[in-house]
């Protein structure tokens, strides 16, 4: 049981707990007046009872990471478990990169679970998107909005959080602001997404406060998925090796990959990364998206290149969304892959950019 204060009646009333979940960091939500909760939660998580149902599902799935130690974060101020729960809401979806309002509307209609707002391609240093573009798109869509900041540039992150984005991507796709340090993401109330290429990278970013991990592949927008597959297999392979290790060997592995021991042990116990794991780079067809899901990812990032070629971007985005949702159903994959050859004609990698198979130690 917990006490809830009605907006009109000041007398506390007893309301039954919606699910038997004993998570101390989440207790602040239940003990907060309803009006205050509605003002602090993102608009797409309302009404509050739906948020409770999603938390119950996350608890049953066993993929909510909790930190009770105050040495990691202040649960009363920026609870990591809340941010990890918000990231869980995107599981099983496709996050689409957009740069204009028309692209945002197409992605929303096609079923994207979130939008990554970027600036159109420009020469020189890549930075965070113009806040005016973010505000314009936020006013016109109902799904969550994400924006990118440069690695280590905590002031850009402060600006994005103030603008009101739902997620911040500390992205290596942009220029790097700090070559030695990442943002201390525990200082922010907004969930962060960070990239990785191996298990050590992923767990170090989680220790810094990342609520979602993005295994990054191709950064050039060429449609080449080879690098993404390589990095995803690297992460998943290291997790499988970790699962088969003796408890005494975990200490040596955590030292070898330069990752915190407690997160390595938690990964071994869960059999997966302790936070949501997406794949990004070169995913431009339904088959690419289904491949990432079958390799063990929770979702995919779709680059803006799907809007640059062909005459029907809605069909391409919709096909990828359906492939993520039904990645084990060959009938759905066949249906959504038909008629895309001409649409993908401009997303082919030139022979000069491809490394011949068998070279490079393979």
């Amino acid at each position: 049981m917990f006490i809830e204060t009605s907006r009109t009646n000041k007398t506390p009333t007893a309301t039954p707990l919606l699910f038997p979940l004993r998570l101390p960091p989440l207790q602040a939500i239940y003990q907060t007046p309803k009006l205050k909760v509605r003002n602090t939660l993102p608009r797409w998580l309302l009404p509050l009872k739906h948020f409770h149902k999603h938390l119950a599902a996350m608890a049953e799935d066993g993929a909510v990471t909790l930190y009770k130690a105050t040495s990691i974060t202040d649960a009363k101020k920026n609870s990591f478990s809340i941010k990890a729960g918000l990231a869980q809401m995107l599981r099983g979806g496709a996050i689409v990169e957009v740069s204009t309002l028309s692209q945002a509307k197409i992605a929303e209609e096609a079923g994207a679970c979130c939008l990554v707002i970027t600036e159109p391609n420009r020469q020189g240093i890549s930075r965070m998107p113009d806040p005016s573009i973010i505000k314009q798109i936020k006013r016109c869509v109902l799904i969550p909005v994400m924006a990118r900041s440069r690695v280590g540039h905590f002031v850009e992150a402060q600006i994005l959080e103030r603008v009101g984005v739902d997620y911040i991507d500390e992205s290596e796709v942009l220029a790097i602001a700090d070559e030695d340090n990442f943002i201390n993401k525990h200082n922010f109330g907004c969930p962060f997404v960070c990239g990785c290429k191996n298990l050590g990278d992923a767990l170090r970013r989680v220790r810094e406060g990342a609520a979602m991990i993005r295994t990054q592949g191709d950064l050039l927008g060429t449609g080449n998925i080879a690098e993404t597959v390589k990095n995803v297999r690297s992460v998943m392979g290291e997790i499988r090796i970790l699962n088969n290790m003796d408890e005494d060997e975990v200490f040596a592995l955590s030292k070898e990959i330069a990752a915190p021991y407690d997160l390595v042990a938690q990964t071994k116990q869960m059999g997966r990364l302790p936070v949501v794991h997406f794949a990004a780079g070169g995913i431009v067809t339904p088959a690419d998206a289904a491949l990432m899901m079958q390799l063990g990812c929770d979702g995919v990032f779709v680059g803006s290149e799907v809007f640059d070629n062909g005459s029907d971007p809605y069909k391409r985005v919709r096909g990828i969304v359906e492939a993520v949702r039904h990645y084990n159903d060959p009938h759905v994959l066949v249906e959504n892959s038909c008629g895309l050859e001409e649409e993908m004609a401009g997303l082919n990698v030139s022979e000069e950019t491809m490394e011949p198979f068998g070279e490079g130690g393979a």
Side-chain angles (χ1 to χ4, degrees):
M1 305 288 287
F2 70 97
I3 301 301
E4 178 181 354
T5 302
S6 174
R7 187 181 303 181
T8 58
N9 186 8
K10 300 299 181 180
T11 304
T13 57
T15 306
L17 192 62
L18 297 182
F19 57 95
L21 181 62
R22 299 177 180 177
L23 303 179
L26 298 178
Q27 193 173 5
I29 285 186
Y30 311 134
Q31 295 178 347
T32 303
K34 192 172 184 179
L35 179 60
K36 184 176 180 181
V37 173
R38 291 182 64 88
N39 290 336
T40 56
L41 289 176
R43 61 193 183 284
W44 47 274
L45 281 180
L46 302 176
L48 184 61
K49 60 182 180 180
H50 293 162
F51 183 49
H52 285 166
K53 292 180 181 179
H54 283 297
L55 288 177
M58 287 185 277
E60 293 177 0
D61 195 41
V64 179
T65 306
L66 302 178
Y67 292 121
K68 300 179 182 179
T70 57
S71 60
I72 298 179
T73 183
D74 183 1
K76 296 182 180 179
K77 183 179 179 182
N78 296 318
S79 174
F80 181 82
S81 58
I82 299 296
K83 293 184 283 187
L86 294 175
Q88 290 281 340
M89 305 293 292
L90 303 181
R91 291 185 66 186
I95 301 176
V96 181
E97 180 180 329
V98 300
S99 57
T100 65
L101 181 58
S102 61
Q103 292 178 357
K105 290 182 177 180
I106 291 173
E108 183 182 27
E109 293 174 0
C113 68
C114 182
L115 302 177
V116 182
I117 301 176
T118 61
E119 291 229 352
N121 294 332
R122 63 181 183 183
Q123 300 295 328
I125 299 296
S126 300
R127 302 180 178 87
M128 73 171 187
D130 190 330
S132 62
I133 298 177
I134 299 175
K135 292 179 180 180
Q136 180 186 20
I137 293 178
K138 275 177 61 65
R139 284 194 295 263
C140 299
V141 299
L142 298 177
I143 58 177
V145 169
M146 182 185 301
R148 290 171 175 164
S149 70
R150 285 177 281 176
V151 171
H153 205 312
F154 54 85
V155 175
E156 283 189 349
Q158 292 170 357
I159 295 173
L160 294 176
E161 185 176 42
R162 184 61 180 175
V163 170
V165 298
D166 299 296
Y167 303 90
I168 299 175
D169 185 355
E170 187 179 11
S171 178
E172 63 275 17
V173 175
L174 306 181
I176 296 177
D178 192 332
E179 296 182 354
D180 300 320
N181 304 289
F182 283 77
I183 297 173
N184 181 4
K185 291 160 274 291
H186 293 295
N187 292 334
F188 295 83
C190 184
F192 270 76
V193 181
C194 286
C196 78
K197 292 187 176 181
N198 53 59
L199 181 60
D201 282 347
L203 296 183
R204 287 192 295 272
R205 301 293 84 80
V206 174
R207 168 57 79 235
E208 294 163 359
M212 177 192 293
I213 291 298
R214 164 182 41 78
T215 299
Q216 186 66 50
D218 174 48
L219 298 176
L220 302 177
T222 60
N224 183 12
I225 200 174
E227 188 70 17
T228 310
V229 172
K230 174 184 175 181
N231 294 335
V232 169
R233 285 193 176 276
S234 173
V235 173
M236 297 303 180
E238 289 177 295
I239 292 177
R240 286 192 294 270
I241 294 174
L242 175 61
N243 290 340
N244 295 323
M245 278 188 171
D246 186 78
E247 296 290 344
D248 298 335
E249 298 174 328
V250 177
F251 293 96
L253 178 66
S254 63
K255 181 178 180 180
E256 178 183 343
I257 64 176
Y261 168 77
D262 60 325
L263 291 180
V264 176
Q266 186 177 11
T267 302
K268 173 178 171 60
Q269 180 182 11
M270 297 177 65
R272 52 157 295 147
L273 289 177
V275 297
V276 182
H277 180 202
F278 273 53
I283 300 172
V284 293
T285 68
D288 293 339
L291 173 62
M292 294 295 101
M293 299 298 292
Q294 292 191 27
L295 287 177
C297 294
D298 297 317
V300 299
F301 281 77
V302 181
S304 60
E305 57 265 23
V306 296
F307 295 100
D308 297 337
N309 302 277
S311 58
D312 192 359
Y314 173 86
K315 181 178 180 180
R316 281 173 282 162
V317 177
R318 183 62 183 176
I320 293 175
V321 170
E322 287 296 309
V324 171
R325 295 174 179 173
H326 308 282
Y327 59 91
N328 275 327
D329 189 337
H331 299 289
V332 175
L333 297 179
V334 169
E335 180 180 350
N336 287 281
S337 297
C338 293
L340 292 179
E341 184 64 28
E342 294 182 1
E343 301 289 338
M344 300 300 172
L347 293 175
N348 294 323
V349 184
S350 62
E351 295 182 359
E352 290 79 7
T353 61
M354 296 184 64
E355 181 179 350
F357 181 76
E359 292 187 4

